[in-house]
Amino acid sequence: MNMINSNFDNVDVCVIGAGHAGCEAALACARLGLETVVFTVSADNIAFMPCNPHIGGSSKGHLVREIDALGGEMGKNIDKTFLQSKMLNVSKGPAVHSLRAQADKLQYSLLMKKKLEAQEHLTIKQTEVVELITEEVTSDTTDEFGTNLSHEGYKYRITGVKIATGGIYNCKAVILCTGTYLKARCLCGESITYTGPNGMQPSNNLSASLINAGIELRRFKTGTPARMDGNTIDYSKMTEQFGDDPVVPFSFSTDPKDVQKPQVSCWLTYTNEETHRIIRENIGRSPMYSGVIEGIGPRYCPSIEDKVVKFPDHDRHQVFIEPEGTFTNEVYVDGMSSSMPEDVQLQMYRSVPGLENCKIVKNAYAIEYDCLASGQLSPVLEIRTIRGCFSAGQFNGSSGYEEAAAQGLYAGINVARQLTGKPYITIDRSEGYIGVLVDDLVTKDNLEPYRMMTSRAEYRLFLRQDNADLRLRKKGYEAGLITKEQYDHLLLKEQQIESEIQRLKNTRVGASANIQKFMTEHDSSTLKTACTLAELICRPELSYDVLCEIDPERPQLTKDVTEQVEINIRYEGYITRQESQIAAFKKLENKLIPADIDYDKVSSLRIEARQKLKKFKPINIGQASRISGVNPADVSVLLVYIDSVYKK
């Protein structure tokens, strides 16, 4: 494509889309000194929540904590705009504890917009981007640092974008954060409207440009439930759901005192056999089951139609009524997303206890959109064949605000590294949930919207939400998004944790009368011989806080420090075992696959394995071993080939 002269200033980075991925990407680039413009079809809907009104949740809370540890904005923003906050899974071990907060959707959006507007080097532009402008990479094309782009496997490189008015923005890199807007259409029964989420303008032109640049797209689908008028709901027939007291903030930078405030309740009710009968009798009118919907929906966030059809033995399903904001009566009906016709929706919702007289403000609907087909991303979320073309969020085939924000931040950091000639910053599966997310998007053939879950993380005992700063703050500092003051605070915290663990391991208590009395009062077996305070912490009925009574020499430490002390002592054996597993994992990650390898010359590789390796182009043996269709025997063949051919 030929370059066109324009009157617009040159910029370093163009971020296409200002949802949760776009906001984190744009802020990261601008904070790292790159002149950045973020494009959106509506400047009034920046960081908009078109579906659920909450941030965090199981595994997603881990992602928000990791975003914050790296220097992102989502955690800080939700700490200032939440309506209710709750730590999930507290009856289980700390590996699966996960923070979740109901958001004031409007306030969240406005505050994030204000943050973008105040950011130096960042411009917001309301318009539709209709075309990527690229130039072909030839055998002698190099970047400003002398790297031969052809040798790196690039076919094109980004030189700018074209907007709907015909204007051109010259740039060095693009981050595609298009969400669910590409060729979007919304379906509510027989009614089809060609709009983006919540009736917003779709992006109908960019897909063709992406295809022309050699990018393969596919169609995915997601959905959202109805929004009700809260004044028409009978809450007396529901169970009230309260927030936590005290509240734990998402951001490591937020003072816990600042998030202690009155909270708004959520409410729990259930579907019933009447609800299910209405759905079954009208299932043919659902575009999901009539064949109208082409896109593939998320397995782990099914519509109510899917639940009724796929789980016929369940006589009820949970329904949570969640507030949407302080300045609206609208509530979100979590658990009953649907694409049923409006008349069926009204019937099925009114069959639920408490919703008998409900009035629908916004109908439930399904939305289809274009997104990236698997196998085209590098481990830094760059399209492998186009230099400077990065992507993040639902365009990459994921679902969820938190997954999108994590990818946006990760892509933004690595765009800055590329444009400044610095080594990429990567996070592997043993270092963070972000690493699991990115690796799964890069190496797996995801045929449905990808959702983060704790079960996807092999090293989840090590990748807890409570230690995200200890795991990733250093990477954020290396990237340039964490200040020296924040980094020094981290180093102090690490020192305090280690020092206190050693003190507890070295402090012994004997079987004196006062100790035995303490043990009896706390329903713990009395001591036969002296033991350490660390050994007592391992008893399930005791804890670090409880032992304060018999630990007079205890130093004054903050709650986040003592939490780490207790977890590390109590789960030391399991953590040590996981560290051994991580060491074995690292060995495979460090066995690099030569970029110029020709898999057709690797004899004894099965045909399926050869095809998958050529498609996904793993950079190391660890990645290769995680590709579906590549089995351990194929990995062994590959190792032998690399050793024999490349180490001569």
Side-chain angles (χ1 to χ4, degrees):
M1 287 172 274
N2 295 326
M3 193 63 180
I4 303 173
N5 292 327
S6 72
N7 296 322
F8 297 109
D9 292 335
N10 294 343
V11 297
D12 294 311
V13 185
C14 289
V15 179
I16 304 176
H20 304 281
C23 287
E24 295 289 355
L27 285 171
C29 290
R31 287 168 173 170
L32 294 172
L34 301 178
E35 291 301 325
T36 305
V37 57
V38 57
F39 297 96
T40 173
V41 294
S42 174
D44 295 325
N45 287 285
I46 287 171
F48 178 63
M49 297 182 179
C51 195
N52 60 75
H54 54 253
I55 296 293
S58 182
S59 76
K60 293 168 179 281
H62 293 66
L63 288 173
V64 181
R65 279 287 181 88
E66 292 184 357
I67 290 166
D68 186 75
L70 289 168
E73 196 64 30
M74 178 174 266
K76 299 181 185 68
N77 207 52
I78 188 59
D79 280 345
K80 296 173 183 175
T81 58
F82 75 92
L83 300 173
Q84 185 198 94
S85 183
K86 194 174 186 68
M87 186 70 76
L88 305 182
N89 303 321
V90 290
S91 63
K92 301 177 182 178
V96 294
H97 292 181
S98 205
L99 199 57
R100 178 183 184 272
Q102 292 297 134
D104 185 318
K105 292 171 68 167
L106 178 60
Q107 290 297 315
Y108 187 94
S109 174
L110 290 174
L111 195 63
M112 187 66 82
K113 180 183 180 182
K114 186 176 181 180
K115 181 64 66 173
L116 266 64
E117 289 174 334
Q119 179 60 51
E120 188 180 3
H121 303 299
L122 179 57
T123 301
I124 300 170
K125 177 66 176 179
Q126 179 172 297
T127 188
E128 179 187 353
V129 174
V130 298
E131 184 181 338
L132 295 186
I133 300 174
T134 62
E135 67 178 20
E136 190 172 351
V137 169
T138 64
S139 59
D140 58 354
T141 302
T142 60
D143 63 14
E144 56 266 52
F145 306 105
T147 302
N148 187 293
L149 300 185
S150 177
H151 293 171
E152 296 292 313
Y154 295 110
K155 296 180 181 179
Y156 302 97
R157 71 172 171 186
I158 290 291
T159 58
V161 300
K162 182 178 180 181
I163 60 176
T165 57
I168 302 295
Y169 280 79
N170 301 325
C171 65
K172 301 173 184 175
V174 163
I175 307 178
L176 298 165
C177 303
T178 54
T180 60
Y181 286 80
L182 288 185
K183 296 184 72 175
R185 66 172 187 166
C186 294
L187 303 97
C188 177
E190 297 84 2
S191 172
I192 300 176
T193 54
Y194 291 85
T195 69
N198 211 43
M200 287 189 281
Q201 175 188 336
S203 177
N204 288 324
N205 299 292
L206 186 58
S207 290
S209 174
L210 299 178
I211 293 170
N212 289 337
I215 297 174
E216 181 186 352
L217 302 179
R218 61 163 50 126
R219 294 287 279 180
F220 272 174
K221 165 262 173 191
T222 188
T224 191
R227 309 308 194 270
M228 303 288 187
D229 180 350
N231 291 330
T232 65
I233 293 175
D234 183 355
Y235 295 104
S236 67
K237 296 182 179 180
M238 303 179 181
T239 305
E240 191 167 7
Q241 307 289 300
F242 300 98
D244 286 344
D245 183 17
V247 171
V248 176
F250 268 106
S251 175
F252 294 100
S253 302
T254 299
D255 187 335
K257 296 177 183 176
D258 294 340
V259 294
Q260 310 310 320
K261 66 179 186 180
Q263 300 180 59
V264 180
S265 292
C266 297
W267 301 84
L268 172 64
T269 184
Y270 295 89
T271 62
N272 51 51
E273 279 301 330
E274 176 63 11
T275 315
H276 302 174
R277 181 193 66 77
I278 293 168
I279 292 170
R280 283 192 293 266
E281 289 182 357
N282 291 278
I283 198 69
R285 297 181 65 192
S286 167
M288 285 183 57
Y289 287 89
S290 65
V292 175
I293 289 181
E294 302 167 0
I296 302 171
R299 179 185 312 185
Y300 301 105
C301 188
S303 66
I304 189 62
E305 302 94 284
D306 256 353
K307 291 178 184 178
V308 170
V309 171
K310 293 180 179 178
F311 304 102
D313 55 322
H314 289 206
D315 56 7
R316 68 177 190 172
H317 296 281
Q318 286 185 328
V319 179
F320 288 95
I321 305 301
E322 303 174 354
E324 292 248 311
T326 305
F327 300 105
T328 179
N329 288 324
E330 284 183 36
V331 295
Y332 178 88
V333 188
D334 194 357
M336 287 191 74
S337 69
S338 178
S339 59
M340 282 288 195
E342 183 175 10
D343 60 305
V344 178
Q345 287 188 31
L346 195 58
Q347 288 181 59
M348 71 178 189
Y349 284 127
R350 286 184 172 177
S351 69
V352 175
L355 301 182
E356 293 89 348
N357 299 303
C358 71
K359 291 184 179 179
I360 296 176
V361 178
K362 298 172 185 172
N363 289 327
Y365 62 88
I367 183 169
E368 283 188 318
Y369 54 95
D370 284 350
C371 62
L372 186 71
S374 301
Q376 300 175 82
L377 286 173
S378 78
V380 293
L381 298 184
E382 184 183 31
I383 305 295
R384 286 200 309 260
T385 56
I386 307 177
R387 171 73 168 194
C389 185
F390 290 72
S391 58
Q394 288 189 262
F395 177 77
N396 283 348
S398 64
S399 67
Y401 310 143
E402 303 82 3
E403 290 91 334
Q407 293 172 63
L409 177 61
Y410 189 79
I413 288 172
N414 282 304
V415 163
R417 306 294 285 187
Q418 183 180 97
L419 297 188
T420 54
K422 297 176 182 177
Y424 293 125
I425 289 180
T426 57
I427 301 170
D428 68 35
R429 300 182 73 91
S430 70
E431 295 173 321
Y433 272 74
I434 293 177
V436 176
L437 167 65
V438 170
D439 187 67
D440 282 350
L441 291 175
V442 169
T443 64
K444 298 189 185 306
D445 202 0
N446 297 301
L447 300 177
E448 61 192 33
Y450 178 94
R451 177 175 178 158
M452 193 70 246
M453 297 182 290
T454 53
S455 60
R456 296 189 190 273
E458 306 94 317
Y459 312 112
R460 54 187 170 273
L461 182 57
F462 188 72
L463 307 181
R464 305 184 310 276
Q465 54 87 29
D466 57 79
N467 68 357
D469 58 336
L470 299 169
R471 292 184 283 109
L472 295 177
R473 208 63 149 174
K474 292 178 182 178
K475 287 183 182 285
Y477 180 64
E478 180 186 355
L481 294 175
I482 294 299
T483 65
K484 180 68 163 59
E485 181 182 3
Q486 290 173 312
Y487 183 60
D488 287 342
H489 179 76
L490 172 74
L491 296 179
L492 175 62
K493 180 177 178 179
E494 288 179 334
Q495 184 273 323
Q496 289 176 331
I497 293 168
E498 182 58 31
S499 177
E500 181 64 354
I501 288 173
Q502 292 306 314
R503 187 189 71 82
L504 293 168
K505 287 183 175 181
N506 294 327
T507 302
R508 302 181 69 81
V509 293
S512 61
N514 67 312
I515 297 296
Q516 303 292 43
K517 179 184 177 184
F518 170 85
M519 303 300 287
T520 302
E521 288 175 346
H522 291 87
D523 298 321
S524 189
S525 58
T526 56
L527 300 182
K528 295 181 179 179
T529 60
C531 69
T532 67
L533 290 176
E535 289 172 326
L536 291 180
I537 285 176
C538 292
R539 295 189 177 192
E541 67 275 8
L542 301 179
S543 68
Y544 181 87
D545 290 339
V546 167
L547 293 180
C548 178
E549 185 179 333
I550 58 172
D551 186 14
E553 303 301 320
R554 173 174 295 188
Q556 288 292 322
L557 298 170
T558 57
K559 179 64 177 176
D560 61 329
V561 170
T562 61
E563 180 183 35
Q564 293 307 307
V565 170
E566 181 161 356
I567 290 173
N568 278 279
I569 289 175
R570 193 181 290 270
Y571 297 96
E572 182 178 24
Y574 297 102
I575 293 173
T576 300
R577 184 189 307 167
Q578 192 125 104
E579 286 173 343
S580 298
Q581 295 169 345
I582 290 172
F585 161 81
K586 293 281 191 183
K587 287 183 179 179
L588 291 179
E589 296 298 292
N590 291 332
K591 290 183 181 293
L592 300 181
I593 298 175
D596 63 347
I597 190 170
D598 184 350
Y599 290 108
D600 289 327
K601 293 182 179 179
V602 185
S603 59
S604 300
L605 265 184
R606 294 177 308 110
I607 293 175
E608 182 186 13
R610 183 176 286 111
Q611 291 172 341
K612 290 296 183 71
L613 290 167
K614 289 166 72 174
K615 176 181 178 180
F616 288 97
K617 295 182 173 60
I619 63 172
N620 58 53
I621 294 297
Q623 277 192 352
S625 68
R626 293 189 293 275
I627 296 172
S628 174
V630 178
N631 64 31
D634 299 315
V635 172
S636 297
V637 168
L638 193 55
L639 282 168
V640 170
Y641 178 82
I642 292 172
D643 285 341
S644 63
V645 173
Y646 288 92
K647 293 191 176 181
K648 290 181 178 178

